[in-house]
Amino acid sequence: MKKLLSITLFLLFGLTFAQTGLKGKVVDGNSGTPLEGVTIMIKNAGAKAATNTKGEFVILNLIPEETEIILEKSGYETQYLPVIIVKGKTNDLGNLVLYPDETKEEEQGVITLTSDDLTDDETGTNNSSIAGILQSSKDVYQRAVAYNFGQVWFKARGYDSSLGEILFNGIPMNDISNGRPQWSEWGGLNDVLRNQEFTYGLKPSEQSFGGALGVTNFITRASQMRSGGRISYASTNSNYTRRLMVSYNTGLLPNGWAVSVLGSRRAAQEGYVEGTTYNAWSGFLAIEKKLNAKHSLNLTAFYTPNRRGKNSPNTQEVYDIGGLKYNS
């Protein structure tokens, strides 16, 4: 009788507590801290749950099957994970990892000046606002307004460009008089300006307090450049008709030295619009000596003279009469 009673109680206990379901814990992929408020859903089923303050969740009364669970949280990448739901068992999935969605910041990135931006939007005179295209967002809309409109004609959220800070190795490069970045001062240096840190909006930056349009820090240390050489040639029907760029980076050598050099030439006898010549040279040199694991000395120098003919701002009526290439 005692054995029969024990077996009966054991079966009842198992039926009560061994339910079909899933459990686990969700953590941040960078810090490893538990994530609260993560939504866990079973694919093609109505069952779902949310993680508690410890990042833990439990979903019971599920149908045994092979399926997927979906993990969602604002600011994080959505994860789809295959799982097997076993009848009469609460399967422990262990630690599940969610990584921050970095594209959310990139999609709202700073609008980049282009070579079409010839004038200062305060004075209307030809100054040094000519720019190379050095960065862009992955977002289709942001990319369109950056390349097609330019910041002279379009202001991100209505903000002035002076509210975005440009740094070279932590040193501010915005114009000291009006606070705006003068992109022509480093135009044509695309190959050595690919290594950059970007912080959107008023979020904290390691280099600066920043502004409403964020902070972009170009890292021009020679030891941080990918070793090797690069030669590129481009032909366009825009502001310049041809561009030649040559660069070489040694990388960090065994003796602790690193060197990076670049030279480029952008030119046009006449651009797409009548009477628009283009003559621009760009040179870059970076030399770095690594003293020890925590200290190094780096010299960065660049020279980017340019001379070009400006096209007139025309109304649609003028274009209809004189054509798209007309220049008053």
Side-chain angles (χ1 to χ4, degrees):
M1 288 297 294
K2 290 182 178 180
K3 289 183 178 180
L4 181 60
L5 181 60
S6 298
I7 293 173
T8 303
L9 291 175
F10 179 80
L11 291 175
L12 290 174
F13 182 86
L15 291 172
T16 303
F17 294 97
Q19 301 183 55
T20 303
L22 298 170
K23 66 179 180 179
K25 182 178 181 179
V26 185
V27 299
D28 185 285
N30 293 334
S31 64
T33 56
L35 290 177
E36 180 184 3
V38 179
T39 301
I40 295 91
M41 296 178 289
I42 308 298
K43 186 177 180 180
N44 299 327
K48 67 177 181 178
T51 56
N52 58 21
T53 55
K54 297 181 180 179
E56 299 172 344
F57 69 92
V58 178
I59 307 177
L60 300 175
N61 302 319
L62 298 177
I63 300 174
E65 62 177 340
E66 293 186 15
T67 183
E68 280 186 336
I69 62 170
I70 304 170
L71 284 68
E72 292 183 340
K73 181 176 174 63
S74 178
Y76 287 81
E77 297 177 351
T78 300
Q79 292 283 3
Y80 299 85
L81 303 175
V83 295
I84 300 177
I85 303 174
V86 181
K87 184 177 181 180
K89 180 180 178 181
T90 303
N91 190 18
D92 189 353
L93 302 177
N95 286 350
L96 306 177
V97 179
L98 280 186
Y99 290 94
D101 189 356
E102 298 177 355
T103 62
K104 295 299 183 182
E105 293 183 6
E106 295 175 357
E107 287 176 359
Q108 304 177 49
V110 176
I111 302 300
T112 306
L113 288 173
T114 71
S115 294
D116 292 327
D117 302 331
L118 309 178
T119 59
D120 187 327
D121 51 351
E122 286 186 352
T123 63
T125 58
N126 190 9
N127 67 356
S128 59
S129 64
I130 304 165
I133 296 173
L134 304 175
Q135 68 179 58
S136 67
S137 165
K138 293 182 180 180
D139 181 78
V140 175
Y141 172 73
Q142 295 287 348
R143 189 163 54 220
V145 296
Y147 289 112
N148 299 337
F149 301 160
Q151 202 162 336
V152 168
W153 309 106
F154 178 88
K155 298 184 184 300
R157 300 177 63 188
Y159 292 142
D160 189 87
S161 59
S162 61
L163 297 177
E165 191 168 7
I166 305 298
L167 310 175
F168 270 58
N169 297 327
I171 300 175
M173 298 296 293
N174 294 50
D175 189 273
I176 196 171
S177 60
N178 57 30
R180 296 172 180 170
Q182 302 297 322
W183 291 80
S184 65
E185 295 177 359
W186 50 87
L189 304 180
N190 304 54
D191 281 356
V192 292
L193 296 181
R194 301 184 186 278
N195 190 9
Q196 57 181 273
E197 300 170 337
F198 175 68
T199 302
Y200 175 71
L202 297 175
K203 292 187 177 181
S205 168
E206 294 183 358
Q207 306 294 337
S208 171
F209 288 106
L213 289 180
V215 178
T216 300
N217 180 43
F218 292 106
I219 302 173
T220 61
R221 292 174 53 189
S223 65
Q224 302 297 312
M225 304 287 186
R226 185 178 65 179
S227 60
R230 179 186 177 97
I231 300 176
S232 63
Y233 179 83
S235 179
T236 77
N237 64 344
S238 184
N239 299 286
Y240 53 83
T241 58
R242 56 194 179 277
R243 185 193 72 180
L244 176 65
M245 184 179 298
V246 180
S247 63
Y248 182 77
N249 309 311
T250 65
L252 187 61
L253 300 175
N255 58 6
W257 286 92
V259 180
S260 177
V261 295
L262 176 144
S264 73
R265 164 84 161 137
R266 293 165 292 163
Q269 186 68 29
E270 182 174 82
Y272 179 77
V273 179
E274 296 174 350
T276 55
T277 60
Y278 201 108
N279 185 17
W281 296 85
S282 299
F284 174 91
L285 172 66
I287 303 175
E288 183 175 358
K289 171 62 176 176
K290 187 174 183 180
L291 304 178
N292 52 50
K294 295 184 177 181
H295 300 87
S296 64
L297 296 174
N298 181 78
L299 168 68
T300 296
F302 50 88
Y303 183 52
T304 58
N306 63 75
R307 180 183 178 88
R308 64 178 297 172
K310 178 183 176 295
N311 59 297
S312 58
N314 302 322
T315 62
Q316 185 61 49
E317 182 181 9
V318 174
Y319 284 128
D320 293 339
I321 297 173
L324 294 177
K325 297 184 177 181
Y326 174 76
N327 188 1
S328 65

